[in-house]
């Protein structure tokens, strides 16, 4: 065999492997990007952006621009070094083609220069390529512009040089494959909040987003084109992140505590502040990934915080009058903190693979926390006193709350089954199929009770607006009747271990909990109150996908014997046109404002029957952002709330 023939065969053999790799991703996309829904779709963008962030982490990139194009494709532009394009001996093709088509090739070339690599699944741009019906990569490097196009992850041409440039960087534009993704429409809000988060986590970089699909109505976008646009840049990193999260809360200290250090070769950055609220609000990140389930870094932080503050409080004699123990929890009431670390080989565990397992991390974060607090307390004796007083207050309130809770649980034991009197339970004993409807008001509750399928659907009417848990003290929450009813109906308890307050979902009696309220402003407010309650006190239940919102129809359209329901204005107009053919306006249109306007049959048909209904599952995209929005919507300050509502009004169902 001649040498060229041998090379040709090696090339072909490699090509087959590449194609097999691409096919593997296309066959089991969920294994690589989590799912093929909205989450997976946005994951594609994060994957590309993560590569640009990697460039920034080694000091070669300062700008990342994300553009949602008019045709629905998406472009990521960075000013990094540009993906290498030189001929790759081993793979017998251009390095660009290798990076874009070989699984896990991303870091192959220059592993040393990348300290750590981001990405929850860390699957690389080749995965994005494999899941795109079309992708074009443009590289500016060594004075030349190079390009290559791909279809379904396969090169459509050789890498070509198309002109000269004086810049460096990479531009990737892709169209998510509609045969793979259930949704292919990018969501501006989801992307913007991730880019904002990345700007805080990587100070100094500018990240921007532009939506070219729709022109801003009043043209106040600052990019000149009148497109919806935001740009994120943080000079102070986590310090600004904490400021941003606590925008609507009142801090009790002068300054935000902040440390950016390295302990045992692990980069650790922490920022924290105490505020007047009662909430613990800690968010942790590993290599820019939000670790919702916590892990060793969180454990290290808690340990460091408790030990250092306790030592200080004891030494200062402020605890001498206290008659009961202080628990770890008490040190975290009203605490907002961000912990961001970098780990070479992170081990992710837990339900959603967002719990850090690396044991070496615990000590590093503990030490960093201890250094931070020791210094701050020494230098700011006034703040130190205020914090300790707050801790003592928390311990006192916790004591009162426990008493109230114990009283409730004892009462439940005395009242037979312990189920709330208002609950209309279902007959099935199988939680997996059972559903609980939380319904606004006794009247709608009555209709729901009549309309439901009592075999697997239970109804719990709630009295108007439930308690705003964002503003209430702990013990008030557990004394509140509606909240007690929700806890007992669900069969969920909170562990007695004050340190962990572990939610016990083992006895959860319904796997679908469905909030059903009127389609008006009051209804949305009640939805928000109930979601806030679940977010603050049963987060795990949301994370496991148990919480839903029912969507009652907005209109009923009637002509003779034909009856149609619809949920959107456009749908209404289409239906009117459709059934109006022949003779118009014998048509009756009814706008539903409340559940009470529907008969039990109608409610079943449109909103409760699993065959026809529309349920919105509540997910937590970004816990930090969700937390900020909840505290803003439910907190005391009016102006930020009004801004938010005005900004989002066009996406909400206004009551007209
Ligand atoms: C492989 C090696 C190098 C950089 C990249 C890939 C790279 C990938 C992407 C994806 C989007 N933007 C990107 N920027 C860079 C190292 C390059 C070198 O050593 O010069």
């Amino acid at each position: 065999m001649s040498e060229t023939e041998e090379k040709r065969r090696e090339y072909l053999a490699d090509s087959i492997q590449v194609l097999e790799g691409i096919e593997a991703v296309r066959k089991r996309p969920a294994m690589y990007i989590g799912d093929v829904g909205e989450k997976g779709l946005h994951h594609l963008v994060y994957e590309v952006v993560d590569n640009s962030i990697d460039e920034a982490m080694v000091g070669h990139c300062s700008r990342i621009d994300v553009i949602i194009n008019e045709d629905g494709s998406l472009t990521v532009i960075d000013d990094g070094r540009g993906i290498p394009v030189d001929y790759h001996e081993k793979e017998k093709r251009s390095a660009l083609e290798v990076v874009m088509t070989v699984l896990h090739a991303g870091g192959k070339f220059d592993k040393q220069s990348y300290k750590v690599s981001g990405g929850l699944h860390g699957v690389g741009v080749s995965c994005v390529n494999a899941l795109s019906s079309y992708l074009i990569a443009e590289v500016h490097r060594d004075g030349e512009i190079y390009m290559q196009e791909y279809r379904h992850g396969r090169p459509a041409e050789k890498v070509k040089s198309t002109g000269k440039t004086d810049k460096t960087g990479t531009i990737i534009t892709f169209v998510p494959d509609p045969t793979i993704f259930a949704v292919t429409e990018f969501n501006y809000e989801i992307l913007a909040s991730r880019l904002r988060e990345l700007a805080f986590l990587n100070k100094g970089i500018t990240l921007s987003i532009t939506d070219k699909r729709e022109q801003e109505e009043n043209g106040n976008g600052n990019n000149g084109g009148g497109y919806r646009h935001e740009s994120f840049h943080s000079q102070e990193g986590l310090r600004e992140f904490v400021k941003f999260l606590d925008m609507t809360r009142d801090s009790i200290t002068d300054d935000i505590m902040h440390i950016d250090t390295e302990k045992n070769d692990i980069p650790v950055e922490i920022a924290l502040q105490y505020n007047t609220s009662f909430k613990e609000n800690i968010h942790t990140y590993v290599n820019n990934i939000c670790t919702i389930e916590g892990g060793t870094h969180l454990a290290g932080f808690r340990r460091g915080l408790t030990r250092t503050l306790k030592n200080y409080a004891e030494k200062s004699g402020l605890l001498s009058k206290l008659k009961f123990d202080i628990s770890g929890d008490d040190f975290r009431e009203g605490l907002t903190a961000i912990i961001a670390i970098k780990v070479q080989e992170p081990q992710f565990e837990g339900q959603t693979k967002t719990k850090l397992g690396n044991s070496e991390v615990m000590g590093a974060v503990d030490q960093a926390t201890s250094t931070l607090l020791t210094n701050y307390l020494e230098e700011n004796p006034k703040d130190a006193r205020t914090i300790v007083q707050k801790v003592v207050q928390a311990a006192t309130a916790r004591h009162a709350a426990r008493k109230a809770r114990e009283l409730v649980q004892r009462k439940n034991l005395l009242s037979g089954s312990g189920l709330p009197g208002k609950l209309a339970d279902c007959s099935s004993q199988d939680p997996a199929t059972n559903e609980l409807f939380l319904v606004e008001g006794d009247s709608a509750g009555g209709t729901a009770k009549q309309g439901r399928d009592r075999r697997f659907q239970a109804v719990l009417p709630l009295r108007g607006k439930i308690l705003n848990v964002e503003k209430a003290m702990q013990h008030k929450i557990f004394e509140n009747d509606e909240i007690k009813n929700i806890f007992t109906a669900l069969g969920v308890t909170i562990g007695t271990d004050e340190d962990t307050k572990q939610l016990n979902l083992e006895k959860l009696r319904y796997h679908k909990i469905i909030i059903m309220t009127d389609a008006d402003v009051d209804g949305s407010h009640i939805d928000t109150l109930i979601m806030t309650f679940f977010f603050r006190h049963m987060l795990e239940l949301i994370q496991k996908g148990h919480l839903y919102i029912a969507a009652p129809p907005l209109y009923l359209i009637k002509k003779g014997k034909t009856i149609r329901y619809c949920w959107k204005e456009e749908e209404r107009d289409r239906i009117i046109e459709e059934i109006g053919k022949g003779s118009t306006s014998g048509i009756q249109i009814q706008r539903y404002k409340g559940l009470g306007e529907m008969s039990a049959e109608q409610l079943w048909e449109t909103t409760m029957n699993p065959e026809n209904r529309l349920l919105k599952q509540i997910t937590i995209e970004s816990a930090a952002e969700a937390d900020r929005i909840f505290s803003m919507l439910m907190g005391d300050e009016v102006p930020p709330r009004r801004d938010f509502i005005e900004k989002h009004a066009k996406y909400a169902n206004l009551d007209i």
Side-chain angles (χ1 to χ4, degrees), residues 51-52 55 78 81-84 99 106 109-110 114 141 170 172:
N51 280 275
S52 308
E55 282 290 286
D78 71 46
R81 288 169 292 183
I83 302 176
V99 169
F109 302 88
D110 194 276
Y114 286 109
R141 203 179 155 104
T170 304
I172 288 177

Side-chain angles (χ1 to χ4, degrees), residues 474-487:
Q474 279 278 330
H475 68 98
K476 286 269 184 237
I477 296 171
F478 293 101
E479 281 163 10
N480 180 276
D481 278 333
E482 307 299 310
I483 286 174
K484 277 192 293 197
N485 283 348
I486 296 178
F487 265 105

Side-chain angles (χ1 to χ4, degrees), residues 19-37 40 43-44 103-104 121 123 126-128 130-131 177 179-181:
L19 292 182
E20 278 171 357
I22 293 170
E23 276 325 300
V25 179
R26 291 177 59 80
K27 244 194 213 132
R28 293 203 174 72
M31 255 185 59
Y32 297 84
I33 53 160
D35 66 46
V36 291
H43 195 92
L44 298 181
L103 297 186
H104 295 293
H121 301 267
V123 289
S126 57
C127 248
V128 179
L131 300 176
D177 193 331
T179 64
I180 288 182
F181 290 94

